[in-house]
Amino acid sequence: MQVKTKAIVISALKFQEKSLIVKCFTLSSGLKSYFVRDAFSNRKASQKIAYFQPFSILEIEAVHKNKGTLENFKEIKTAVPFQTIHTDIVKSTIVMFLSEMLHYSIQEEEKNESLFEFLETALTWLDHHDEIANFHLILLLEATKYLGFYPDTSEIDLPYFEMIEGVFTLFSGVNSLTEHETNLLKKLIDLRFDNDQKVFHVIERQILLKILIDYYSFHLDGFKRPKSLEVLKEVFS
């Protein structure tokens, strides 16, 4: 089946000497993996590889056989030409980390248009703003709405957050956050991208990042701790 759709690049893995396996989150079909033959073998290689940087948003034409095998691109062009995301060291580190998080989080070959549109809007915002210290935290929390495990905030005034059930509780349990950690999470729940980025100290951001990674690992089978986490910590230290 020939498909024309937008696609967000999640990862690109070199295969043998000259080729790439590219994983994309597509608007039309959810998660798809593509084989890019001879990506490194001609004068236009650098131009071709530039399409496949983390979180690039592409307009693609592709042949989808939908047999669980690698698909093939027919045509690729940039859908959203970013100005700063892949040249600013802080932003590029953020998107490297977040794309790795989503690599282990988006697991189904089913379309999720609301998640796609959220990511596209969030990345466009990142590209146009410089006060971005909490961007990764807000995105990871908001993404759980579309992945199916956003915290139940109906009892948000209670003092502890229980990680397995995703609810606020009166009593602390084995998998509960401390009262201080719960208060940080409540503060994050109220944040939006345009809010004051200085609302958290560096240590508080690190605590929240650990909470979010733990929360993802509780709720997603096969989730792995991102290798780029230490790089992200260095950038925000």
Side-chain angles (χ1 to χ4, degrees), residues 38-52:
D38 297 333
F40 297 91
S41 63
N42 59 42
R43 271 179 277 175
K44 292 186 177 178
S46 60
Q47 185 180 349
K48 186 184 284 188
I49 295 162
Y51 284 126
F52 305 122

Side-chain angles (χ1 to χ4, degrees), residues 3 42 45 81 105 142-143 146-147 160 172 191 233-235:
V3 176
N42 59 42
S105 304
E142 289 293 307
Y146 310 99
L147 296 169
Y160 301 100
S172 178
L191 274 192
K233 286 180 179 177
E234 285 292 320
V235 165

Side-chain angles (χ1 to χ4, degrees), residues 30-211:
L31 203 62
K32 286 286 183 184
S33 293
Y34 300 88
F35 184 65
V36 183
R37 189 183 304 278
D38 297 333
F40 297 91
S41 63
N42 59 42
R43 271 179 277 175
K44 292 186 177 178
S46 60
Q47 185 180 349
K48 186 184 284 188
I49 295 162
Y51 284 126
F52 305 122
Q53 295 182 77
F55 276 175
S56 291
I57 303 177
L58 307 175
E59 184 79 49
I60 66 168
E61 285 187 38
V63 177
H64 287 176
K65 295 179 181 175
N66 299 318
K67 294 181 178 178
T69 55
L70 295 174
E71 313 288 14
N72 291 288
F73 294 118
K74 290 198 75 176
E75 192 174 323
I76 309 166
K77 59 184 179 182
T78 301
V80 180
F82 292 136
Q83 304 301 313
T84 63
I85 281 180
H86 295 127
T87 54
D88 180 293
I89 185 65
V90 176
K91 292 182 181 182
S92 61
T93 303
I94 288 171
V95 298
M96 178 174 65
F97 166 74
L98 289 173
S99 65
E100 195 177 353
M101 284 288 291
L102 289 179
H103 177 83
Y104 296 119
S105 304
I106 304 171
Q107 299 168 332
E108 297 180 3
E109 280 197 26
E110 293 179 9
K111 71 176 178 181
N112 187 336
E113 291 182 4
S114 55
L115 175 57
F116 188 98
E117 287 162 3
F118 163 70
L119 292 173
E120 182 177 19
T121 300
L123 290 168
T124 302
W125 185 93
L126 176 65
D127 192 48
H128 289 93
H129 291 80
D130 296 320
E131 297 295 319
I132 56 170
N134 300 317
F135 177 85
H136 57 302
L137 302 175
I138 298 169
L139 185 140
L140 287 176
L141 181 61
E142 289 293 307
T144 64
K145 288 179 180 176
Y146 310 99
L147 296 169
F149 54 97
Y150 187 75
D152 180 349
T153 58
S154 58
E155 301 284 352
I156 198 169
D157 291 334
L158 296 177
Y160 301 100
F161 182 72
E162 205 284 326
M163 297 277 272
I164 301 289
E165 297 298 323
V167 297
F168 292 88
T169 61
L170 186 57
F171 303 104
S172 178
V174 175
N175 295 305
S176 296
L177 301 180
T178 67
E179 204 163 346
H180 174 60
E181 289 169 338
T182 301
N183 285 331
L184 289 177
L185 180 63
K186 289 177 182 180
K187 200 187 269 190
L188 180 60
I189 285 170
D190 285 337
L191 274 192
R192 298 296 174 263
F193 292 130
D194 282 322
N195 291 147
D196 180 15
Q197 297 291 309
K198 296 182 174 68
V199 67
F200 297 120
H201 300 301
V202 171
I203 298 299
E204 291 175 331
R205 284 195 198 95
Q206 290 177 356
I207 292 169
L208 278 166
L209 187 56
K210 182 183 184 304
I211 289 168

